[in-house]
Amino acid sequence: MNTSPAIKTNIELTKRRTSVIRRFAIRRVAGTATIFGLLAAIESIAQSIGIILAYPDPAARAKVIYGLASNPALGLFYGNMHTDIISPGGYMAYRIMPIMILVLSIWAMLFITKMLRGQEENGNWELLLSGRSSARNSTTDIIMGSGVGLVIIFTLTALALIIGGHSSRFAMPIGGSLIYSLLLATGALIGVAVGALTSQLASTRRKAVIYGLTIIIFMFAIRSIGNAVAGLNWIKNLSLFGWLDKVNPYNNAPVYGWLWLTLAVTILVIGLVIWLSGRRDMGSSLIADQDTSKPKLSLLNSQLGFSFKQLRNIFIGWLIASLSFVAVIVSIDKTVAKTITGSGGLTKTFSNLTGNPYARIEVAYLSAAGYFIVITLIFMIAASLGHIRNEESSGRIDNFIAGGISRLKWLTSRLGVIMIATGSIYLLASLIDYFLAKAQGIDVGFNDLIFGGINILGPVAFILGLGLLIYGILPRHLNTIIYAVVGWSFTIDIIAAALKLNSYFADSSIFKHMALVPAATPDWHTFEVLIGLALLMSVTGIWLFNRRDLVLE
Amino acid sequence: MVTIEIQKLTKKYGSFKALDNLSLSINQGEIFGYLGPNGSGKTTTIRLMLGMIKPTAGTIKINGYDAQTQKQLAHRHIAYVPGESNLWPFLTGEETLHLLAKVHGQCDTKYRQQLIKQFDLLPGKKVRTYSKGNKQKIALIAALASRADVLIMDEPTAGLDPLMEQVFRQAIREAHLNGQTVFLSSHILDEVEALCDRVALLRSGRIERTGSLEELRGLSALKIEAGFKTTPPDISKIEGVSHINVSGNHLSCEVRGSMEELLAVLSKAKPISLLSREPSLEELFVSMYETLEPELA
Ligand SMILES: Nc1ncnc2c1ncn2[C@@H]1O[C@H](COP(=O)(O)OP(=O)(O)OP(=O)(O)O)[C@@H](O)[C@H]1O
Ligand SMILES: [Mg+2]
C-alpha cells in the first residue's frame, strides 16, 4: 500500500522530532557521564595500585586484607569475600566496587528523573513534541540517549584499567577488567531503571528523586546487611546490588550468571516503564498527586522564612547524609583499629590523611569522620548556591526585586540561612562523633573535637566565598566551576592517598588545608587565611551581584 | 505630574543595541500603551525600569527616584506583572498571593477576594497544576490587589481567554479611576485601543511614534474608497495621495495631510459612493512596520 505524501512528511517529522529528543539526552548525559566515568576509573585504579604500593609483599598484603575482610562491620560498604581478594583487581572489586556501583546508580537515577519527570514537569516535552510524538516514544528516546552515558562510563573505566593494570606488577586480566567495567555500568543502568520507574510514578521531580533514593538505598542496605551479618547472608539474593556483589570479576571463576540476571531484570523493568509511559497522559503520574493543601503561611512572611522554606529540603538531605556517614564511620572505629593496628600500610594511609603519624590508629580513624563532614557540607553549599542561581535564572527573583526587596537583602537572607544550616550540621555531626567515640571508650577531648574541629570549616567557607565570587562575575557558570573545583580537590586527594604527589599539586586540593582533629592539631593560621579569603571573595561577589544585570536562562 | 521619566536610555548587549537613546515620559494616572514587534525592546525597557538590568547610558526616574541608584524608593509603589509569570510550583495559589502581598507591603484583601471571584481562580491548588492562564491570573490579582501607584505590565494578558480579558480590562479601568498609573506593554492592539490614553510605538529599540491614538491617526493616512459610473479620475498627481488602486469603476487610495484637492477632483467626477475611514490601530501598526521594513535589512 502506498502512503500519501502528506502522511509521509508527517511520519518523517515524527522521526526527526524523536531523534531531536535522543540527541538532547545524549548531549546532556555526555558531560556528567565523562566526569563520573573518570571518577570511577581514577578511584578504582587508585585503590588497586595503592594496595600494591603499600604492601608489595603478597604475604603482608594477605594478612591485612584478610584482617579487614574478617571484620563483618566493613561488609556494610565493602564487597564480597572471595578467593582472589589479594590480587589488585580482586582487592579493588572488594574494596571499592559496591560503593562505585551505588554512586553511579544514584547519579543515573538523578539524571534520568531530571530528564523524564523534570522536563515533563516544566512542560518542555509539550513544546518539543507539540502532540506529534507520544509519551512512550519520548521516554524510549531519553532512555536510549542516556544509554550513551553508560557506554562512556564503561569505556573510560575499561580503558583505564586495561592500560593501568597491564604491567606485570599488577597483572590485571583484561577479561576481569571488562567485566568489572560492565558491572559499574550495570550499576548506572539500575539507576536508569529506578529513575525511569519513579518518573512514571511521581508527579514531581522532587518526589521521583525521593522515591528513587528510597529504592536504591533500600536495595543497598539489604546487600550490606546480608554482607555484614553472618546469619543473614541469604538476603543479598533479594537485592540487585547483592547479585552484582557475587560476580567477583577478577576471580578465577567469576559468576557471570548474576550479572546477566541483573541485566535481564533491569532491562525488563525499563521495558515495563516504557509500556507504562504510553498508558498515561503527558503531565500525569501513576501515583495521583495531592493538588490542594491547607495553606501554610508561617514561613511566607519574611525573606528569611521563605529562604528557609525553599532550602529546607537540601539541608535535611545533607544533614541525614552527614549524620549517617559519621555514625557509620565512628561506630566501627574500635574494630577497624584492632584490625589494622600493626600493619604499616593502612596506618600510613590514615596518618597521611590526618597528617599526624604519631596518632593512635583509633584516633586517626575517628578523625577521618571530619573529612566526610566537610564533603557533605561542601556539597550542601554547592546545591544551595545552585538553588540561588536557579531562582534568578528562572525569573522568580523578579517577584521580589520588583516588589522593592533589595538584592542585598534577598541574597543575604539566603546566605544567612545557609550559614546557620552549615553550623548546625557541623555541630550535630561533631556531637554524634564525640558521643559515639565515648561510648566505645575512646579517649577524646570534647574541646579538641568540637572546638578544634571548627578549623575544618575553613575550606567550607572558602568554597562558599568562591561560589559567591563566581555568582557575582559569571552566574551562568556557577555550578560548573564549583563542581570542577570540588571534583579537582577530590581527585587530587584520591591520587595523593595512593601516590606521592609533588606538594604543589597536593596543596591545590582545598581539603588539604584543614586539620582533622583530634589526630592533628588545628592550624589556626591557615584557618584565618581561608576565612579571610572567603570574606574577601564573598564581599566582592555580593558587591558585583548587586551591580550586574540579572541574567535569565 | 510625571510618574515615569525615561531619558536617553541606551542598553547594549555586546555591540547589539537593544535600546537606542530612548526617551519617554508618562504622566500620573495615565494608561500608557507600549507597542512593538517581537524583539523590539519592550521587556528590556521594563527590566531597566525595575532595576533588574543596568542601562549602558541614560536614566529612568520613577516618582522622581532613580531606578538604579534609589531602587528601594523608586520601587516602593510599583507592582509588576511579567509576561510569563515565574512562580513557585510548590506553593498554592493562596500561599503565593500571601507571599506577594507581603513583598508589596500592602494589599486590599477585600478587593483581592473580589478579583479571585471575578477571575474565577481556585486558590487552593498548587501553582504547579495551574494552566498558563491561571498562573497569569495569580500575578495579575497580586498586582491589582496591591493597589500600587504604578502598575507595570509586560504583555499581561498572554494566555487569558476572551472572558478573562474583559475582566482584566474592567480592572484596569478601575485602577485608572483610582488614579493609578499603568504602563502596559502589549501585542494585543485591540486591548491597547480599548484602554490606553497614549501609546508609544517601538521598533528596534527606538521609539518611532508617541502620542494619543487621535494624534497617531492624524499622522497616518486616511483611507478613501469611491465608486463611479465611468472610469475614475486621475488622482496620481495630487500631493499626499498614495496606494492608488483602480479596478473597473472603483477607486481606493490613501491620503495624508490636506484632503481638499483630492475631494475636489473626486466630486467633479460625480462619485456614486464615497467612503472614508480612519485606520484602526492594527492598520497603523501594520502599515508602519511594513513601510519601515526595508530599513530593517
Ligand atoms: N540578555 C540578553 N543578551 C543579549 N541580547 C538580549 C538579551 N536580552 C534581550 N536581548 C535582545 O534585545 C532585544 C530586545 O528584547 P526584548 O526582550 O526587550 O524584546 P520584546 O520587545 O520584549 O519582545 P517580545 O515581544 O518578544 O517579548 C532582542 O533582540 C533580544 O534578542
Ligand atoms: Mg517581551
Side-chain angles (χ1 to χ4, degrees):
Chain A
M1 212 178 77
N2 275 333
T3 319
S4 86
I7 293 178
K8 250 192 203 145
T9 43
N10 257 346
I11 293 173
E12 253 173 44
L13 262 177
T14 311
K15 269 193 196 147
R16 227 176 288 140
R17 268 162 212 271
T18 53
S19 70
V20 162
I21 298 179
R22 195 176 310 161
R23 278 204 301 276
F24 175 69
I26 294 173
R27 267 206 311 278
R28 282 304 199 57
V29 80
T32 50
T34 307
I35 291 171
F36 275 83
L38 286 175
L39 181 75
I42 291 171
E43 178 65 82
S44 302
I45 285 273
Q47 287 296 338
S48 54
I49 295 180
I51 191 77
I52 299 284
L53 292 183
Y55 303 96
D57 170 32
R61 201 187 318 150
K63 187 168 162 265
V64 172
I65 295 177
Y66 282 121
L68 272 180
S70 68
N71 178 351
L74 289 180
L76 289 175
F77 287 119
Y78 296 2
N80 205 29
M81 213 18 226
H82 53 95
T83 54
D84 200 28
I85 198 170
I86 71 160
S87 74
Y91 177 72
M92 176 178 81
Y94 160 72
R95 173 69 178 74
I96 196 71
M97 194 180 81
I99 286 289
M100 274 294 130
I101 287 180
L102 175 68
V103 167
L104 290 172
S105 69
I106 291 178
W107 161 73
M109 185 274 294
L110 290 175
F111 176 78
I112 205 85
T113 50
K114 188 171 186 177
M115 292 301 290
L116 289 175
R117 181 46 71 179
Q119 298 285 347
E120 192 168 331
E121 193 181 352
N122 296 340
N124 289 2
W125 287 153
E126 280 153 50
L127 260 174
L128 211 54
L129 302 175
S130 49
R132 278 179 205 271
S133 176
S134 63
R136 181 175 290 165
N137 289 347
S138 57
T139 309
T140 315
D141 275 315
I142 298 251
I143 293 175
M144 302 281 271
S146 312
V148 172
L150 308 196
V151 173
I152 291 175
I153 287 175
F154 171 81
T155 314
L156 286 175
T157 335
L159 275 179
L161 288 175
I162 291 171
I163 295 168
H166 91 285
S167 88
S168 62
R169 196 159 166 211
F170 304 113
M172 288 160 71
I174 289 180
S177 294
L178 288 176
I179 292 292
Y180 177 88
S181 308
L182 187 57
L183 281 163
L184 295 193
T186 307
L189 186 68
I190 293 176
V192 168
V194 170
L197 179 65
T198 61
S199 293
Q200 308 306 314
L201 298 177
S203 59
T204 62
R205 157 114 204 279
R206 204 170 67 86
K207 282 185 189 160
V209 167
I210 292 173
Y211 297 162
L213 271 182
T214 311
I215 295 175
I216 288 177
I217 288 177
F218 183 70
M219 284 203 299
F220 193 80
I222 288 184
R223 178 221 81 99
S224 295
I225 293 168
N227 229 15
V229 182
L232 288 178
N233 227 299
W234 59 270
I235 67 168
K236 282 181 83 164
N237 293 331
L238 301 178
S239 158
L240 294 180
F241 293 130
W243 297 0
L244 292 183
D245 245 11
K246 299 181 179 199
V247 178
N248 299 342
Y250 287 98
N251 207 343
N252 294 329
V255 198
Y256 296 132
W258 290 110
L259 175 57
W260 307 145
L261 191 61
T262 310
L263 280 172
V265 169
T266 314
I267 289 168
L268 204 70
V269 171
I270 290 177
L272 174 77
V273 165
I274 289 172
W275 177 75
L276 279 176
S277 72
R279 305 213 2 126
R280 62 180 186 82
D281 294 338
M282 261 305 167
S284 72
S285 57
L286 295 174
I287 296 180
D289 188 38
Q290 199 160 12
D291 288 343
T292 53
S293 71
K294 277 237 162 62
K296 299 187 201 78
L297 304 179
S298 56
L299 288 173
L300 302 179
N301 294 326
S302 67
Q303 281 297 306
L304 220 50
F306 190 61
S307 315
F308 176 71
K309 190 179 174 85
Q310 287 196 281
L311 290 165
R312 182 165 58 180
N313 289 324
I314 296 179
F315 296 156
I316 293 174
W318 289 107
L319 175 69
I320 293 172
S322 73
L323 294 191
S324 39
F325 259 137
V326 170
V328 168
I329 290 170
V330 179
S331 60
I332 55 174
D333 188 354
K334 262 269 148 81
T335 33
V336 172
K338 237 181 247 151
T339 314
I340 57 179
T341 299
S343 67
L346 277 175
T347 320
K348 218 167 75 196
T349 307
F350 279 110
S351 58
N352 270 349
L353 188 62
T354 59
N356 176 3
Y358 305 110
R360 275 173 301 128
I361 185 68
E362 57 187 25
V363 173
Y365 182 79
L366 179 76
S367 308
Y371 193 80
F372 289 95
I373 298 178
V374 168
I375 288 172
T376 47
L377 286 177
I378 282 178
F379 274 105
M380 183 189 86
I381 282 177
S384 307
L385 288 171
H387 168 88
I388 288 179
R389 165 66 192 139
N390 197 21
E391 286 291 286
E392 179 191 348
S393 66
S394 65
R396 287 193 285 263
I397 189 184
D398 298 0
N399 293 306
F400 294 126
I401 304 300
I405 308 276
S406 73
R407 290 191 200 182
L408 207 59
K409 181 170 181 184
W410 179 84
L411 187 56
T412 49
S413 304
R414 277 148 188 83
L415 286 179
V417 172
I418 292 172
M419 289 191 323
I420 292 170
T422 307
S424 314
I425 292 178
Y426 166 74
L427 199 61
L428 283 172
S430 302
L431 285 173
I432 288 199
D433 191 348
Y434 175 77
F435 285 112
L436 284 177
K438 277 284 170 196
Q440 295 173 83
I442 299 166
D443 183 28
V444 286
F446 183 84
N447 285 345
D448 289 347
L449 194 65
I450 309 291
F451 294 110
I454 288 177
N455 92 88
I456 64 174
L457 294 179
V460 178
F462 180 84
I463 283 291
L464 180 59
L466 181 66
L468 284 170
L469 184 63
I470 298 166
Y471 185 53
I473 304 172
L474 289 171
R476 281 207 175 93
H477 303 290
L478 174 64
N479 280 326
T480 325
I481 297 179
I482 285 292
Y483 284 111
V485 170
V486 175
W488 169 262
S489 302
F490 217 47
T491 313
I492 289 288
D493 268 27
I494 291 170
I495 297 174
L499 309 166
K500 263 226 148 19
L501 278 186
N502 109 10
S503 75
Y504 180 74
F505 257 119
D507 284 350
S508 70
S509 159
I510 45 164
F511 301 124
K512 194 77 185 24
H513 305 283
M514 59 186 185
L516 293 173
V517 293
T521 331
D523 172 2
W524 294 112
H525 178 66
T526 305
F527 179 72
E528 280 161 22
V529 170
L530 284 173
I531 296 290
L533 284 174
L535 278 175
L536 195 68
M537 291 188 294
S538 304
V539 170
T540 314
I542 294 171
W543 182 74
L544 288 170
F545 165 69
N546 211 19
R547 306 188 68 236
R548 70 166 166 80
D549 285 358
L550 294 182
V551 183
L552 295 171
E553 201 64 77
Chain B
M1 214 188 96
V2 176
T3 295
I4 302 173
E5 175 88 69
I6 300 179
Q7 268 173 352
K8 303 198 167 151
L9 191 66
T10 298
K11 175 67 184 175
K12 280 192 190 173
Y13 289 111
S15 61
F16 173 75
K17 273 189 184 169
L19 289 182
D20 188 4
N21 205 20
L22 183 142
S23 298
L24 201 61
S25 79
I26 291 140
N27 299 320
Q28 193 188 351
E30 200 169 29
I31 306 184
F32 190 86
Y34 202 50
L35 287 165
N38 293 129
S40 55
K42 300 184 296 294
T43 302
T44 304
T45 312
I46 289 179
R47 290 180 74 77
L48 283 162
M49 280 185 197
L50 296 171
M52 289 166 191
I53 51 179
K54 281 190 336 174
T56 310
T59 56
I60 300 179
K61 285 194 169 158
I62 300 175
N63 287 327
Y65 299 112
D66 191 286
Q68 291 295 325
T69 57
Q70 299 169 294
K71 285 181 192 159
Q72 256 60 27
L73 294 167
H75 299 150
R76 199 163 44 181
H77 303 295
I78 286 184
Y80 163 61
V81 181
E84 185 125 343
S85 40
N86 297 298
L87 303 169
W88 296 269
F90 59 90
L91 294 181
T92 65
E94 185 175 355
E95 288 167 341
T96 309
L97 288 171
H98 179 88
L99 177 67
L100 294 178
K102 286 284 168 190
V103 171
H104 283 128
Q106 58 181 35
C107 176
D108 181 342
T109 45
K110 234 174 97 189
Y111 184 45
R112 185 170 70 187
Q113 227 30 58
Q114 186 192 330
L115 285 169
I116 289 175
K117 225 186 233 147
Q118 285 171 351
F119 275 112
D120 200 13
L121 183 80
L122 291 175
K125 290 192 12 165
K126 290 252 167 75
V127 167
R128 170 166 39 76
T129 67
Y130 282 132
S131 65
K132 181 169 165 22
N134 280 334
K135 281 182 198 149
Q136 202 58 30
K137 288 178 194 171
I138 296 186
L140 281 170
I141 293 173
L144 291 165
S146 76
R147 303 269 198 201
D149 296 347
V150 185
L151 296 173
I152 295 183
M153 308 189 155
D154 192 358
E155 296 174 37
T157 54
L160 290 194
D161 63 42
L163 229 61
M164 292 305 138
E165 170 80 41
Q166 291 308 317
V167 177
F168 167 75
R169 290 184 190 182
Q170 192 48 46
I172 293 296
R173 286 189 192 105
E174 208 174 314
H176 186 52
L177 290 179
N178 287 333
Q180 290 167 273
T181 309
V182 182
F183 185 90
L184 179 69
S185 134
S186 181
H187 272 146
I188 305 174
L189 298 155
D190 202 30
E191 174 180 290
V192 173
E193 201 155 22
L195 290 174
C196 295
D197 307 317
R198 271 194 324 139
V199 298
L201 296 180
L202 192 68
R203 187 181 69 97
S204 309
R206 291 178 207 224
I207 289 186
E208 292 294 341
R209 308 249 191 289
T210 322
S212 66
L213 282 172
E214 287 73 40
E215 283 167 343
L216 287 189
R217 286 199 180 105
L219 284 173
S220 167
L222 204 61
K223 278 207 152 86
I224 305 276
E225 286 174 33
F228 300 89
K229 281 212 178 89
T230 56
T231 313
D234 178 18
I235 54 169
S236 57
K237 292 201 181 78
I238 300 171
E239 203 180 328
V241 173
S242 61
H243 291 82
I244 301 167
N245 193 356
V246 179
S247 65
N249 296 341
H250 202 85
L251 174 144
S252 72
C253 68
E254 288 178 14
V255 58
R256 257 173 237 271
S258 163
M259 307 205 298
E260 225 169 285
E261 201 182 341
L262 176 68
L263 281 182
V265 173
L266 288 181
S267 62
K268 224 161 117 192
K270 301 210 163 66
I272 50 174
S273 71
L274 184 65
L275 189 74
S276 95
R277 197 155 60 73
E278 279 190 327
S280 69
L281 188 54
E282 180 150 355
E283 279 164 327
L284 263 176
F285 192 83
V286 170
S287 78
M288 175 179 141
Y289 291 114
E290 251 175 8
T291 53
L292 293 167
E293 201 63 34
E295 275 180 37
L296 279 173

